Amino acid sequence: MKTQHLDLGYILSNVGLPKWSSTMIRNQDVHTNGPVLDDILLADPEISDAIENEKVVQKTIKIFNVDRAVCGRVAGVVAKKYGDTGFAGQLNITFTGSAGQSFGCFLTPGMNIRLVGEANDYVGKSISGGELVVTPAENTGFCPEDATIVGNTCLYGATGGQVFVRGKAGERFAVRNSLAQAVVEGTGDHCCEYMTGGCVVVLGKVGRNVAAGMTGGLAYILDEDDSFIPKVNREIVKIQRVNAPVGQMQLKSLIEAHVEKTGSGKGSVILKQWDKYLPLFWQLVPPSEEDTPEACTDYEKTAAGEVTLQSA
């Protein structure tokens, strides 16, 4: 009754002016984006042989910002054949240049991907394993820890693997990360948003609204000028210094790995002056992590007490 007097003729009629009507556009043949970088990688006999026969391969290739979701198809081929963790080979691929969106997405164990240059948004999206390293080219003329080298929303939904970034990231770094470990030298707003697991180390400044909705995992943030506390969303997480010995070991080992993989100058300074820098780190601890050895200073005493009670 409400619509019987509506005249939709003006919307539904084809006046014949456009060369392409919406109907013709919908009915055209599906088009292709042409060959993409992953197809070139998978066509490489050395890479295909390494995947097929679980060998180790080393490759270096140029990348441009039109190359998107690079390594996603390669990871899919590996996962289809070997599952989540069955691949015993090693794909060591170095890219040089500027990567498009979703660089290193969906990586699986056995894929060690390195980018010398810079990347757009969604670096390491949904990786489940492997290693992803991003470093600037040599002699760039800028200080790496002061420059943004990867875009927004990196590590979105990651379920494993390690990421080392020599430089800053954009907003929402490690959003919905559930297991990956990452080291970065600065981030924009909303770092560690909705994290449910894993570990993030930031060797520099962060933006506002850190740890919003963070229900799991741990984060270590360097605060050299006492500007960090007001930036934290404190609805869920607790903020504390890194007092637990296991937490200190975790933090230091990740920074050591970061320096080894990227040659980070900032990381090297922190390690050389460890006693000076350790007290400047904050640890963000959601309730689910409060009783873990990394976050609980009295963990060993508590664990010993539990053993005693059980034995009694």
Side-chain angles (χ1 to χ4, degrees), residues 14 19 52 146-147 153 168 199 209 235 251 257 263 265 289-290 295:
N14 183 353
K19 183 178 179 181
E52 188 67 28
D146 293 335
T153 335
K168 293 181 178 180
C199 181
N209 201 34
E235 289 185 13
L251 172 60
E289 308 288 344
E290 286 183 359

Side-chain angles (χ1 to χ4, degrees), residues 71-86:
C71 291
R73 291 189 187 183
V74 178
V77 170
V78 173
K80 186 174 182 180
K81 185 173 178 64
Y82 299 102
D84 291 340
T85 57

Side-chain angles (χ1 to χ4, degrees), residues 127-151:
I127 65 172
S128 61
E131 180 182 280
L132 185 55
V133 178
V134 183
T135 66
E138 292 185 11
N139 303 318
T140 53
F142 59 80
C143 188
E145 60 262 31
D146 293 335
T148 301
I149 193 173
V150 295

Side-chain angles (χ1 to χ4, degrees), residues 10-31:
Y10 290 103
I11 299 174
L12 300 177
S13 61
N14 183 353
V15 296
L17 293 177
K19 183 178 179 181
W20 283 88
S21 69
S22 59
T23 303
M24 293 175 67
I25 291 172
R26 285 196 302 272
N27 291 335
Q28 66 181 322
D29 293 334
V30 177
H31 63 278

Side-chain angles (χ1 to χ4, degrees), residues 5 8 18 59 81 85 91 121 191 269:
H5 298 297
L8 301 179
K59 280 287 172 181
K81 185 173 178 64
T85 57
L91 306 181
D121 300 344
C191 181
V269 170

Side-chain angles (χ1 to χ4, degrees), residues 101-130:
Q101 282 194 3
S102 302
F103 174 75
C105 61
F106 307 115
L107 293 188
T108 60
M111 297 181 70
N112 298 327
I113 308 302
R114 185 180 187 88
L115 172 64
V116 180
E118 60 191 0
N120 278 268
D121 300 344
Y122 291 101
V123 170
K125 178 175 67 180
S126 295
I127 65 172
S128 61

Side-chain angles (χ1 to χ4, degrees), residues 244 295-303:
C296 180
T297 308
D298 299 326
Y299 177 80
E300 294 181 4
K301 299 176 185 176
T302 306

